């Protein structure tokens, strides 16, 4: 059973558009939610992360929105560029076992010029 | 080097052979993680080391999988009697602090193909 459910599986947007990637979880013991970007043949790289006591966090063109009551969080990429084309993974970490990441299944983003 | 280094980048083995995958974490990083990433899926946690101590191996799929970090730096993931379902990318990550809610720096992985 997947602990973190991610959608959509793939996403195509035009340059300048705002792709939105969604994740949902059930376990309320999760207390740290990072997002990773992965290019083909490379390892994931941390983009941005949020804790559940915050509803929104921005870093550059990347924004996480967090809805604790709905147990959902999402990544928004403002003014998307072709160089943003990659696979994006959300993840969650348990507060009592903070060594173990649970990753979503990934969203492959294609930003067209 | 500046980042996490994994070797080999690609490994092809016949079913039943043993393989060993190496991870060189960033110098001085205390925490080291191994993940398995199947094609088109997110990474799945295998095991975690704090220095030389293996504190969590709950993600290892079977007793054919074994990981070590004897001196608290380089780590090796060994898979014995490989099976086709072991084909995946194996990722290593390290962190300067204890615990997962710190930035993890990933290597580029070893792509393992079992024939």
């Amino acid at each position: 059973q997947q602990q973190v459910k991610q959608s959509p599986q793939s996403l195509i947007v035009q340059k300048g558009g705002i792709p939105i990637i969604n994740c949902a979880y059930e376990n309320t013991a999760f207390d740290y939610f990072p997002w990773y970007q992965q290019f083909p043949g490379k390892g994931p790289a941390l983009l941005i992360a949020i804790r559940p006591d915050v509803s929104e966090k921005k870093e550059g063109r990347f924004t996480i929105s967090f809805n604790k009551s709905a147990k959902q969080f999402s990544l928004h990429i403002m003014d998307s560029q072709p160089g943003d084309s990659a696979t994006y993974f959300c993840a969650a970490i348990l507060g009592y076992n903070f060594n173990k990441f649970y990753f979503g299944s990934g969203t492959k983003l294609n930003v067209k010029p | 080097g500046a980042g996490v280094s994994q070797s080999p980048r690609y490994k092809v083995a016949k079913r039943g052979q043993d393989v060993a995958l190496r991870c060189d974490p960033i110098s001085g990083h205390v925490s080291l993680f191994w993940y398995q990433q199947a094609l088109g899926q997110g990474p799945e946690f295998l095991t975690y080391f704090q220095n030389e101590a293996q504190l969590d191996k709950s993600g290892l799929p079977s007793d054919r999988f074994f990981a070590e970090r004897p001196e608290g730096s380089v780590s090796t993931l060994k898979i014995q009697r490989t099976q086709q379902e072991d084909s995946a990318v194996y990722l290593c990550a390290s962190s300067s602090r204890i615990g997962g809610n710190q930035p993890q720096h990933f290597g580029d992985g070893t792509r393992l193909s079992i024939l």
Side-chain angles (χ1 to χ4, degrees):
Chain A
Q1 182 187 2
Q2 194 147 27
Q3 296 266 1
V4 181
K5 295 182 180 178
Q6 184 172 345
S7 63
Q9 189 174 6
S10 63
L11 190 53
I12 301 173
V13 299
Q14 292 294 131
K15 177 183 173 182
I18 305 176
I20 301 172
I21 303 170
N22 302 297
C23 286
Y25 64 97
E26 285 298 324
N27 192 336
T28 55
F30 286 134
D31 78 343
Y32 182 72
F33 301 88
W35 283 89
Y36 283 81
Q37 179 190 56
Q38 186 175 31
F39 293 104
K42 298 294 186 182
L46 178 67
L47 268 179
I48 185 172
I50 198 169
R51 292 197 174 275
D53 53 350
V54 175
S55 61
E56 185 175 277
K57 184 174 182 181
K58 291 183 181 180
E59 285 188 7
R61 295 184 294 108
F62 300 94
T63 299
I64 300 179
S65 298
F66 193 89
N67 186 329
K68 187 174 181 179
S69 60
K71 291 183 281 187
Q72 295 175 348
F73 58 109
S74 58
L75 176 71
H76 302 233
I77 306 176
M78 305 303 176
D79 187 28
S80 58
Q81 302 296 314
D84 297 329
S85 298
T87 300
Y88 293 81
F89 294 96
C90 60
I93 302 176
L94 292 167
Y96 58 83
N97 183 3
F98 44 76
N99 302 315
K100 193 180 231 180
F101 277 44
Y102 294 88
F103 281 85
S105 55
T107 296
K108 189 169 184 179
L109 172 66
N110 183 7
V111 181
K112 296 200 164 187
Chain B
V4 177
S5 178
Q6 292 187 245
S7 60
R9 286 297 317 275
Y10 304 92
K11 177 69 178 177
V12 179
K14 292 183 179 178
R15 188 166 60 95
Q17 288 183 329
D18 298 348
V19 298
L21 312 180
R22 177 186 169 106
C23 173
D24 281 88
I26 294 173
S27 178
H29 275 197
V30 170
S31 298
L32 186 145
F33 307 80
W34 283 99
Y35 294 86
Q36 182 189 59
Q37 186 174 24
L39 187 65
Q41 298 296 316
E44 291 208 8
F45 171 86
L46 293 177
T47 187
Y48 163 68
F49 289 86
Q50 181 182 316
N51 295 307
E52 69 277 4
Q54 189 176 18
L55 299 186
D56 188 338
K57 53 182 181 179
S58 61
L60 296 176
S62 77
D63 59 6
R64 297 186 295 103
F65 287 70
F66 173 76
E68 59 184 6
R69 194 187 185 197
E71 297 177 359
S73 55
V74 172
S75 177
T76 303
L77 176 67
K78 297 179 180 177
I79 310 173
Q80 297 176 325
R81 304 180 305 281
T82 53
Q83 304 293 318
Q84 282 194 320
E85 62 262 27
D86 300 334
S87 296
V89 174
Y90 291 85
L91 294 165
C92 175
S94 70
S95 173
S96 60
R97 302 179 196 174
I98 295 170
N101 57 350
Q102 305 294 338
Q104 289 193 8
H105 302 268
F106 280 84
D108 291 337
T110 294
R111 182 177 295 277
L112 176 64
S113 298
I114 305 299
L115 304 179

